Amino acid sequence: DPLFILYTSGSTGKPKGVKHTTAGYNLYVKKTTEWVFDVRDEDVYWCTADIGWITGHSYVVYGPLSAGVTTFMYEGAPNAPNEGRFWELIEKYKISIFYSAPTAIRAFIKWGDHWIDQHDLSSLRLLGTVGEGINPEAWMWYYKKIGGERCPIVDTWWQTETGGIMMTPLPGACPTKPGSCCKPLPGIVPEIVGEDTKPVETGNGGWLVIAKPWPGMIRGIWGDDQRFNDQYWSDVPGKYLCGDNARCDEDGYYWIMGRIDDVLNVSGHRLSTIEIESALVSHPAVAEAATVGRPDDLKGEAVAVFVSLSAGYEPDDALKKELKLHVRKEIGALAVPDDIHFTSALPKTRSGKIMRRLLRDIAAGRQTVGDTTTLEDYSVLAKLRAGDED
């Protein structure tokens, strides 16, 4: 029987009404809560996600409560009355498991370590990330500053459509690699294929698909069976197309490289937006970055980046030059941004995902005609369009 219909965040297009059903979904989120978070009777668990999104459904409500976990819920902003709010709550309520999004973690870094230094976070024993790939630099900060170099990090990959976590390290059982979601959970069978639908060689990027069914999987798009078939099942027949690019290294660890639409084709070379963003964020001046392509007559696509700066740094041409050299050193000449736009904030969905398709329109000088109903703050888009902060 149908359990709920939940609309996707709209980061890549018009939001879809994803249908989940009762028994399979609830079983899957209960078991993954137990496996991934290693929950114990004495734990106080806090997932910071909004209840209205899939993470809130699966890992604030259904999963933890079905597993009998003491769950902490907070309705409010992470920076009110001040930017130490989360750390104050962790200290006060002795939170032991903390599950949040990379976009929040990058905000914490931008706000400064002094907010954290005022609080005792020793109750924490496990940290998690969810929502999009986490840059290795942010992963290391999270591990050292929030976890005190003692808390394992579960970097979880999954989607509204999957219902629950699909790939993640298991605490204490799986060595981690910063930036990798590590390996699939039992019963999950991922594959990476090329546009010809054939498996790619180890280490090469391609489309991420799931080859076998699992209990929490999507059961349809509400009111649009044709879109359900076209979106997920038509490109690689018989397998679920995730919509993400990924690669699998020689150790069997998976690395999410961004949405299929986000991979750039520069002079015939495929570049991962996440790798360029990670290179930028590894520079101390950069708090957050988003990479998109814009049409270019010579190269096919040019690399355009939008950068939010850390406290104490000012946007100028010298910094643009420095950041370009930094990307060249970290990745290579092909990945050097053609355009760098400085901005105080990036356009995000209300679930915290960067809306790169809107940035593509801005980079190309196009008017936005796609769906913007899930945009969190319209003023961010207006400022970028006006070029006030470029």
Side-chain angles (χ1 to χ4, degrees):
D1 293 333
L3 177 62
F4 60 80
I5 300 156
L6 194 62
Y7 280 79
T8 58
S9 62
S11 59
T12 59
K14 184 180 179 181
K16 303 176 288 288
V18 171
K19 181 172 69 176
H20 281 295
T21 55
T22 51
Y25 167 83
N26 204 58
L27 169 69
Y28 194 67
V29 295
K30 177 181 184 286
K31 295 309 294 182
T32 51
T33 297
E34 293 171 342
W35 292 342
V36 176
F37 300 108
D38 182 31
V39 291
R40 305 168 187 174
D41 288 346
E42 64 272 19
D43 277 322
V44 180
Y45 164 93
W46 182 16
C47 171
T48 67
D50 190 298
I51 295 296
W53 302 103
I54 189 64
T55 305
H57 275 51
S58 297
Y59 296 109
V60 175
V61 181
Y62 288 99
L65 296 183
S66 296
V69 182
T70 300
T71 303
F72 178 77
M73 297 171 69
Y74 171 63
E75 177 68 22
N79 57 349
N82 59 55
E83 290 163 342
R85 181 62 167 157
F86 275 19
W87 322 125
E88 173 195 334
L89 293 171
I90 288 172
E91 179 178 19
K92 181 176 180 179
Y93 293 99
K94 300 291 187 285
I95 307 296
S96 57
I97 302 171
F98 182 69
Y99 191 35
S100 197
T103 187
I105 293 163
R106 290 190 289 266
F108 303 150
I109 295 170
K110 186 175 182 178
W111 294 341
D113 290 358
H114 62 284
W115 293 109
I116 299 147
D117 295 337
Q118 299 172 31
H119 297 284
D120 178 6
L121 305 185
S122 60
S123 62
L124 291 170
R125 69 170 187 85
L126 181 65
L127 303 175
T129 70
V130 58
E132 59 182 6
I134 184 169
N135 312 99
E137 198 75 15
W139 192 102
M140 291 304 299
W141 180 90
Y142 196 34
Y143 177 71
K144 291 178 179 178
K145 197 66 193 176
I146 306 304
E149 299 189 45
R150 70 181 187 282
C151 299
I153 295 177
V154 288
D155 177 4
T156 64
W157 176 84
W158 58 293
Q159 303 173 310
T160 303
E161 293 90 340
T162 70
I165 295 165
M166 303 287 277
M167 292 195 277
T168 178
L170 292 176
C174 178
T176 52
K177 297 183 181 185
S180 169
C181 59
C182 292
K183 297 189 177 185
L185 289 173
I188 305 304
V189 185
E191 294 177 359
I192 298 174
V193 301
E195 292 183 20
D196 59 2
T197 75
K198 295 178 181 176
V200 302
E201 292 184 13
T202 299
N204 287 357
W207 293 349
L208 178 62
V209 299
I210 307 296
K212 303 287 185 184
W214 65 100
M217 67 189 295
I218 181 176
R219 303 303 170 95
I221 292 176
W222 188 253
D224 199 340
D225 291 341
Q226 188 61 49
R227 189 179 182 193
F228 176 60
N229 289 325
D230 292 347
Q231 184 99 25
Y232 303 111
W233 308 103
S234 61
D235 290 305
V236 187
K239 296 175 182 177
Y240 168 79
L241 179 67
C242 301
D244 284 330
N245 274 287
R247 62 182 175 86
C248 183
D249 67 19
E250 64 279 1
D251 298 321
Y253 281 52
Y254 285 80
W255 301 77
I256 305 301
M257 298 166 63
R259 301 294 290 171
I260 288 173
D261 292 344
D262 291 340
V263 170
L264 308 183
N265 191 334
V266 177
S267 301
H269 297 268
R270 293 169 68 81
L271 296 177
S272 161
T273 54
I274 284 184
E275 288 177 316
I276 298 171
E277 290 162 9
S278 294
L280 286 163
V281 171
S282 71
H283 190 284
V286 178
E288 195 164 34
T291 303
V292 296
R294 65 161 173 80
D296 183 89
D297 291 340
L298 185 63
K299 297 194 290 187
E301 272 190 302
V303 179
V305 301
F306 294 80
V307 170
S308 177
L309 296 179
S310 302
Y313 289 89
E314 293 296 328
D316 57 31
D317 288 342
L319 183 55
K320 283 186 180 182
K321 184 177 181 180
E322 187 178 330
L323 292 176
K324 288 182 179 184
L325 289 172
H326 182 71
V327 172
R328 178 186 288 267
K329 179 173 74 74
E330 292 290 312
I331 305 178
L334 271 171
V336 172
D338 298 277
D339 310 327
I340 296 180
H341 305 267
F342 292 116
T343 175
S344 59
L346 296 169
K348 295 174 185 173
T349 67
R350 288 191 292 275
S351 61
K353 293 184 180 181
I354 297 167
M355 298 185 80
R356 289 177 179 82
R357 63 184 172 85
L358 303 184
L359 294 175
R360 278 198 293 271
D361 290 340
I362 291 167
R366 296 189 298 258
Q367 279 298 313
T368 298
V369 295
D371 190 286
T372 57
T373 54
T374 61
L375 181 61
E376 181 180 39
D377 185 349
Y378 281 87
S379 70
V380 172
L381 194 60
K383 287 178 183 176
L384 283 166
R385 286 221 167 278
D388 290 345
E389 301 173 298
D390 192 2

